[in-house]
Amino acid sequence: MALTLSEIERVKTISKEDFYNHYVRKQKPLIIEQLTSDWPAFEKWNLNYIKEIAGDKVVPLYDDRPVSHKDGFNEAHAKMKMADYIDLLQSKPTNYRIFLYNLMKEVPVLNNDFKWPDIGLRLVKQLPMLFFGGEGARVFMHYDIDYSNILHFHFHGKKKCMLFAPDQSPYLYKVPHSLISREDIDFDNPDYEKWPALKKAKGLVAELNHGEMLYMPEGYWHYMKYVTPGFSMSLRAFPRTITNLSKAAYNVFIMRHFDTMMRKWKGQQWIDYKNQKAIINTKSD
C-alpha cells in the first residue's frame, strides 16, 4: 500500500499577482515549468559545466547514515574535489550528496547564469545554496529550520519531490527537538505495520525536470530523491506570519543549541530517547 499522494499542480508560466494570490497567500505548492527558460543557466547548467568551472573546489559531502550524537549540526561526513565527486555521480549510484553549499561564493561567475525572479516574494538576496546528488540519493523527510518560502530549481535530470503540509505533522513520526521524521522510515515504500500513522497522512508528489521550479510554502515537510544524478538551487523568502517567524527564531536560537548541548551531555541515549518519543507522540489510532 502506497502513501496517499496527489500530484503537485503545474503551470508553464504565471503572473506575479496570480502566483502570490493563489499560491503564496494560500500556502499552496506549485511547479512553474518555464521560469528559467530565459536564464543562461537553462542552457549551461549541467554536471560537466560545474566540473569545468569548479572542479578544483573541495566540497563537503553527506550521506544517509542515521544521526549520531557524535555529529555536529550539519557536519559533513566526507570531503572531495568537485571534479572527483562529479565523476563519481556520473559513474554509478552513490548516497553522497552536497547539501546547502554556497558554490557561488567560491565561483562567482555562476551568479551571471541566473536571475532573481520577480514573482511576488521578497527573496533574501544572499547567495543561493546548491544541492547535488547521485542516482538514488535521498534527502530524509524534514522541514527547514527558518520556515522560509522556498523556490527550488532543479537542473540536469530528474528529482522526485514529496511534500506534506505542516498540518500532517501528527502522522509523520516527527522527532522532538529536531526538524526531521524518523530516519528509518522508507517513504518510497512505507512499512505500515511499523508506522501505522502514515496511512492517515495526505501528501503531494512530483518529478522535477531540468529547469523546473518547485514552490514550497512555509514549514512544509519535504523528501527528495534523485532519480538521476543532478543538482538543485534554492532561493528563499522569510516567513510571512508572526507565528512562523517566532517558530523560526525558536528553532535557530534555542532548539538547535539545546539539542547540541543534550547530544554532548547524554550522547546516543539522547538520540534514542528522541526516536522513541517520535513513536509515542505520533497519532496512530
Side-chain angles (χ1 to χ4, degrees), residues 28-151:
K28 187 178 173 186
L30 177 70
I31 292 170
I32 305 177
E33 295 177 346
Q34 296 178 2
L35 189 59
T36 68
S37 59
D38 64 343
W39 293 10
F42 187 79
E43 298 294 336
K44 292 164 70 174
W45 279 18
N46 58 48
L47 289 171
N48 289 333
Y49 175 68
I50 299 295
K51 179 180 174 181
E52 183 185 318
I53 64 167
D56 62 335
K57 302 299 178 187
V58 176
V59 295
L61 302 176
Y62 301 81
D63 58 28
D64 56 0
R65 71 186 69 177
V67 168
S68 163
H69 69 282
K70 296 174 185 173
D71 296 332
F73 187 81
N74 284 347
E75 184 180 345
H77 298 137
K79 291 187 176 178
M80 193 181 288
K81 277 196 169 182
M82 179 67 92
D84 295 333
Y85 175 61
I86 288 175
D87 285 344
L88 175 65
L89 293 187
Q90 293 180 317
S91 65
K92 61 183 180 183
T94 174
N95 288 329
Y96 274 133
R97 294 178 292 108
I98 296 178
F99 165 74
L100 272 180
Y101 183 57
N102 199 336
L103 184 61
M104 297 197 184
K105 185 178 178 183
E106 304 280 332
V107 189
V109 70
L110 283 169
N111 289 296
N112 302 327
D113 292 343
F114 81 97
K115 303 175 183 179
W116 291 94
D118 181 17
I119 201 168
L121 283 172
R122 275 193 221 151
L123 297 166
V124 181
K125 292 294 178 77
Q126 66 182 26
L127 293 176
M129 295 297 180
L130 296 183
F131 308 77
F132 290 72
E135 180 187 333
R138 297 181 295 179
V139 183
F140 48 79
M141 186 67 75
H142 70 287
Y143 59 94
D144 283 21
I145 193 168
D146 59 1
Y147 274 76
S148 284
N149 292 276
I150 300 167
L151 304 182

Side-chain angles (χ1 to χ4, degrees), residues 167-235:
D167 64 8
Q168 297 300 298
S169 296
Y171 314 118
L172 296 179
Y173 297 90
K174 180 188 180 302
V175 177
H177 310 292
S178 71
L179 312 163
I180 63 175
S181 68
R182 285 276 305 228
E183 293 171 278
D184 44 351
I185 297 173
D186 179 358
F187 277 91
D188 290 313
N189 187 26
D191 180 344
Y192 288 121
E193 299 250 327
K194 199 170 181 183
W195 316 111
L198 289 178
K199 286 187 276 191
K200 293 188 172 185
K202 292 183 172 61
L204 296 161
V205 70
E207 216 169 64
L208 276 187
N209 301 298
H210 175 81
E212 294 181 344
M213 186 280 286
L214 167 64
Y215 166 59
M216 290 188 283
E218 299 165 22
Y220 257 66
W221 292 88
H222 44 285
Y223 161 84
M224 308 285 192
K225 183 175 182 180
Y226 290 85
V227 180
T228 68
F231 62 102
S232 305
M233 176 182 82
S234 281
L235 306 180

